[in-house]
Amino acid sequence: MAPITSVLAAASALALVGLSIPVSMRRFSAKVLLGDGRDQVLLARIRAQANFVEYVPAALIVIGLAEVNGARAWVVWTCAVSLVVGRAIHAFGMLTGAQSKPRAAGMTLTWLALVLGAGGLAGQLLG
C-alpha cells in the first residue's frame, strides 16, 4: 500500500485536468486545432500543461517506490508537498506571465521532490 502516493496521484490527475481545460478552451476560442497557431496565450497554456506532464510521472514513480520500499514518512510527505507546491507555483508563473521567480521556485521544489525521493528510495535499497 502507498497511501501518500495514492493521494498524490489523485491530486495530480485533478491538477492535470485543471491545466488541460484552459488549453482546450483557448484552442476552441482561437480556432487552433493543432499546435499553438502562434497564439502566445495558447502556447503558455500548452507549455504549463506539458511541463506538468514531463515532470509529474517520474516524481510519482520515485515517490511511490520510496514509499512502498519503506522510506520514512517524513521523506515521502516532504516529496509530495514539494511536488504539489512546486507544480502549483510553476503553473501560476507560466499562466500569469510572471517573471522567472515563481517559475524558478516551482522548478526548484519539483527538483527537490525528485532528488529527495530518489535519495529516499536509494537509501532503502542500499541501506
Side-chain angles (χ1 to χ4, degrees):
M1 298 296 296
I4 299 169
T5 305
S6 295
V7 170
L8 181 60
S12 296
L14 295 174
L16 180 56
V17 171
L19 287 169
S20 299
I21 289 171
V23 172
S24 296
M25 290 174 60
R26 184 63 179 197
R27 282 190 183 286
F28 181 76
S29 68
K31 296 179 174 52
V32 177
L33 297 177
L34 186 63
D36 60 34
R38 296 186 179 172
D39 182 305
Q40 291 302 306
V41 172
L42 178 57
L43 177 60
R45 291 178 183 184
I46 290 168
R47 285 307 311 148
Q49 178 195 42
N51 194 276
F52 185 91
V53 171
E54 292 161 2
Y55 280 94
V56 171
L60 285 172
I61 290 167
V62 75
I63 293 167
L65 288 172
E67 184 176 16
V68 298
N69 280 287
R72 294 177 184 240
W74 74 265
V75 171
V76 179
W77 274 115
T78 300
C79 292
V81 170
S82 293
L83 183 65
V84 168
V85 173
R87 293 292 76 211
I89 292 170
H90 186 270
F92 171 80
M94 290 289 294
L95 296 174
T96 62
Q99 296 301 316
S100 61
K101 287 184 182 181
R103 291 172 57 194
M107 284 310 306
T108 300
L109 287 170
T110 300
W111 294 335
L112 174 66
L114 287 163
V115 170
L116 186 58
L121 177 59
Q124 288 307 116
L125 297 176
L126 301 174

